[in-house]
Amino acid sequence: MSTPGQEEHSKGGVYSSKGKEFTRDSSYITTRIVAEPRPGTDDHPVEPGRYHLVAARACPWANRTIIVRELLGLTDVISLGAPGPTHDADSWTFDLDPGGVDPVLGIHKLKDAYEKRFPGYPRGITVPAIVEVATGEVVTNDFAQMTLDFSTEWKQYHRDGAPDLWPEHLRDEMAPVMKRIYTEVNNGVYRCGFAGSQEAYDSAYDRLWTAMDWLEERLADRRYLMGDAITEADVRLFTTLVRFDAVYHGHFKCNRNKLSEMPVLWAYARDLFQTPGFGETIDFDQIKQHYHIVHTDLNPLGIVPKGPDLSGWTTPHGRG
C-alpha cells in the first residue's frame, strides 16, 4: 500500500492538513479475481499462470500477500515480482532485477501496468498489485481483499494441508479483531510517525499502546489471535510487529518500549517468524532502507541505522 508521490504522507496516506493527524487514502482498484466472475462486473477469472503479484518485501501491506501466497502454496500458480526497497516520486521500480526490468512483465516501473489499464491514472502507484501477464494491465491493488480472495477464490489450487486463513465459522469474530488491528496498530504506527502536531502525535501514541496492551493480554492465554490455528488476523498483525523494533520504535517514535520488551507479543511474533511462510519473507535490510531512505521528510539525510540487533528473532519462543 506504499505509494510513491506526494512524499511518504501519501504512501497509502496523507496529512488531512498541517498540524493534523495522518489520514490514509483508502481508495483502491476494486476489481476482483474470482472462481466464478459475476455477470456485469469487471471480475477476472482465477487461472494459474495468468497473473503476476508485484509486492515489495519492504512494504508491510505487500508483505501480507507474499506470506499468504506462501502459506497457501500458490507460489507455482501466481508469479511474484519484487520491486526494490526504495522508489522515486513516480513509481515503484524493479531495481533488484537484471537491467531494472521485471522478467515477467518486461517493465521498469510498476506505473506502466497502471497506465496500461488506466491512462493518466490519477492516484498513487501502490504495492501490492496484481497484473495480468498477457495484457500487462493492473487488475487490482486492493490489498485487504486480495489475501481474502487468495484464501477463498483460489482454494482449488491450495497445497495439501494449507491452513484455512479465513475460516467461515470465525469470520464474525475475526472481523472486529482485524479492524482494530488495522486502525490501531497497522495504521497506528503511521499515525504516530506522520503526526503533524504534538497533539496529534500524543493521541496516536496513546491509541497505539492501548491496542498493544490489549494484544498482550489477548495472546496470554491463546497461541494465535483466534485460538489454536493461524488465520488472516495473525498475518495482518505480524507484518507490523516484525518491523516494530527495526523501524517503528525509533523512526516513527513508537517508543514506549520495544516489542522485545513485551513478553507475550515478543514470543508470539517469534513463533510466527519461525513458522514456514513467515520469516523467509522478511528482509530487514530492505525494510530499514525503505523507511529511512524514502521518508525524506522524517530522515532528510537518508542515513540508514546499522542497528538494532535483530538476532533474537530466531531464539526459542516457548509458545508450542
Side-chain angles (χ1 to χ4, degrees), residues 212-287:
M212 293 288 278
D213 289 338
W214 162 68
L215 289 165
E216 181 85 352
E217 181 178 351
R218 181 181 180 90
L219 288 161
D221 62 357
R222 63 186 78 192
R223 186 170 183 182
Y224 305 113
L225 282 166
M226 305 312 301
D228 296 329
I230 292 170
T231 64
E232 172 88 13
D234 298 294
V235 176
R236 295 187 178 198
L237 178 57
F238 173 78
T239 59
T240 295
L241 296 185
V242 78
R243 288 162 174 77
F244 202 90
D245 288 2
V247 288
Y248 299 146
H249 178 271
H251 186 61
F252 277 177
K253 307 181 187 70
C254 302
N255 58 357
R256 191 192 75 179
N257 49 259
K258 294 179 179 179
L259 177 70
S260 57
E261 295 166 346
M262 301 187 76
V264 174
L265 271 176
W266 176 226
Y268 162 81
R270 298 197 323 275
D271 186 4
L272 291 177
F273 185 88
Q274 294 169 34
T275 298
F278 284 86
E280 63 264 35
T281 73
I282 301 303
D283 187 316
F284 286 116
D285 288 337
Q286 288 194 33
I287 288 169

Side-chain angles (χ1 to χ4, degrees), residues 1 23 25 42 95 108 110 116 139 143 150 153 233 267 277 320:
M1 190 162 63
T23 303
D25 181 353
D42 60 359
D95 309 321
H108 291 272
L110 179 57
K116 189 76 178 293
V139 177
F143 72 99
F150 283 174
E153 302 297 330

Side-chain angles (χ1 to χ4, degrees), residues 61-181:
W61 318 96
N63 193 183
R64 293 182 183 183
T65 61
I66 301 173
I67 292 171
V68 171
R69 175 178 171 270
E70 291 280 345
L71 291 175
L72 298 180
L74 295 174
T75 55
D76 293 331
V77 178
I78 305 169
S79 59
L80 177 66
T86 62
H87 51 65
D88 57 28
D90 190 47
S91 177
W92 286 89
T93 53
F94 296 97
D95 309 321
L96 304 178
D97 292 306
V101 176
D102 180 272
V104 172
L105 302 176
I107 57 177
H108 291 272
K109 293 174 176 277
L110 179 57
K111 182 179 181 179
D112 295 346
Y114 278 75
E115 294 279 347
K116 189 76 178 293
R117 182 177 176 192
F118 303 108
Y121 185 73
R123 311 194 73 84
I125 307 303
T126 63
V127 292
I130 294 181
V131 179
E132 188 174 36
V133 176
T135 63
E137 296 180 357
V138 66
V139 177
T140 182
N141 63 350
D142 189 345
F143 72 99
Q145 187 63 48
M146 204 179 289
T147 50
L148 298 181
D149 285 344
F150 283 174
S151 285
T152 57
E153 302 297 330
W154 291 82
K155 186 166 283 189
Q156 72 180 106
Y157 300 106
H158 290 183
R159 65 174 175 82
D160 290 341
D164 185 356
L165 298 177
W166 187 223
E168 193 164 0
H169 70 286
L170 289 177
R171 290 178 191 176
D172 288 345
E173 183 184 353
M174 285 178 67
V177 171
M178 294 195 301
K179 181 178 180 180
R180 188 172 183 183
I181 288 169

